[in-house]
Amino acid sequence: MSKIGIIGAMELEVDTLKKQMNVTRVITKANMEFNEGTLDGAEIVVVRSGIGKVNAALCVQILSDIFEVTHIINTGVAGSLNAKLDIGDILISKVAVHHDVDVTNFGYALGEVPQLGIREFPADEKMIELAEKTCKEVLPELHTLVGRVVSGDQFICAKDIKEKLIENFKGDCCEMEGASIAHGAYLNGIPFVILRAISDKADDSAQMDYPTFEKHAAEHCAKLVRALVPQL
Ligand code: ADE
């Protein structure tokens, strides 16, 4: 039987799912509240990790060690790096990369964590496929893209930085947890997928757009996750 860990960085990104699920156990660890229970018959653990890569990595390790999850879904919002992704649209991860890791001095590719032997963490093919199909069913009015998530401990809100992320990483969206969740899932051998709804365009308008659209975008993701989990 599958047991799915669902991580959102912010309360806004998990509160809809928490209200919809049947909670059987709540455990607080590392300042994170893990809500274990069921949603439409699926066993799940929903948690707000907090923002950024360290919180995200800790969260994955707890989901693995304490809850023994078999799958991880990272849900939430992101800035768009691809003109095809408008505010509200959905990005499903094909791969995730750290954009703030730079050990190029020692011959590693930009974004590559030394001595790991991998630069891009691939999401699970089956989860990608199911997410894509489900998205078309439950959010047919939105544009969905399977693409590249780039993550770093930085809110991207300037055109020149956005352009660098596109140039260096061919990123489709940027956020602050995905690569860390992917990295942790990879180290623990847990299949994962990142599902992000676009809240802003990661440029000079991002600071204005983000608070205006984050709730709406997060609701799109919650709808997708709810329809996806019983299928895993
Ligand atoms: N999450 C949502 N929008 C973002 C942005 N522009 N940069 C980083 N994380 C984000």
Side-chain angles (χ1 to χ4, degrees):
M1 171 96 181
S2 300
K3 186 169 181 183
I4 305 148
I6 302 169
I7 306 173
M10 296 177 298
E11 196 56 37
L12 173 85
E13 294 167 327
V14 291
D15 68 346
T16 303
L17 289 167
K18 273 167 58 178
K19 281 178 195 139
Q20 290 167 342
M21 73 184 286
N22 174 35
V23 179
T24 52
R25 181 165 73 134
V26 180
I27 292 180
T28 302
K29 210 166 169 58
N31 202 31
M32 300 169 201
E33 191 186 83
F34 293 81
N35 296 268
E36 190 175 36
T38 55
L39 179 65
D40 301 328
E43 271 191 59
I44 62 168
V45 183
V46 177
V47 54
R48 175 201 49 76
S49 62
I51 294 166
K53 297 195 337 178
V54 173
N55 287 325
L58 280 169
C59 189
V60 168
Q61 200 56 51
I62 295 167
L63 282 172
S64 175
D65 290 351
I66 312 248
F67 295 93
E68 299 183 331
V69 298
T70 59
H71 299 73
I72 290 180
I73 297 174
N74 174 216
T75 178
V77 297
S80 173
L81 301 175
N82 184 326
K84 287 188 193 145
L85 283 175
D86 210 343
I87 288 172
D89 286 342
I90 302 282
L91 185 289
I92 301 167
S93 63
K94 172 108 184 121
V95 297
V97 190
H98 296 285
H99 71 65
D100 56 358
V101 171
D102 183 351
V103 195
T104 50
N105 273 3
F106 287 94
Y108 291 98
L110 193 61
E112 183 178 356
V113 174
Q115 302 182 348
L116 206 58
I118 183 170
R119 179 194 187 223
E120 301 177 355
F121 302 98
D124 181 67
E125 286 293 342
K126 183 146 183 285
M127 294 175 84
I128 296 173
E129 216 175 278
L130 272 177
E132 207 180 2
K133 173 185 82 72
T134 307
C135 214
K136 287 192 180 122
E137 285 164 10
V138 300
L139 297 163
E141 70 284 8
L142 299 182
H143 186 219
T144 308
L145 188 85
V146 178
R148 299 168 63 81
V149 176
V150 299
S151 317
D153 282 321
Q154 190 181 9
F155 186 83
I156 308 298
C157 52
K159 195 165 172 280
D160 55 336
I161 301 175
K162 173 178 178 172
E163 276 162 9
K164 279 274 167 235
L165 296 184
I166 298 168
E167 188 187 320
N168 292 334
F169 301 99
K170 297 188 174 56
D172 294 303
C173 81
C174 59
E175 37 79 302
M176 300 175 68
E177 296 83 23
S180 207
I181 288 168
H183 187 161
Y186 171 79
L187 292 177
N188 285 283
I190 303 171
F192 78 92
V193 72
I194 302 162
L195 308 172
R196 295 272 178 167
I198 300 301
S199 56
D200 58 83
K201 302 252 177 97
D203 55 16
D204 306 278
S205 63
Q207 220 163 324
M208 287 282 283
D209 285 346
Y210 179 84
T212 313
F213 298 113
E214 61 169 348
K215 191 166 182 345
H216 189 58
E219 274 163 13
H220 288 174
C221 266
K223 199 167 173 188
L224 171 58
V225 172
R226 177 167 196 179
L228 177 62
V229 288
Q231 304 179 63
L232 291 171

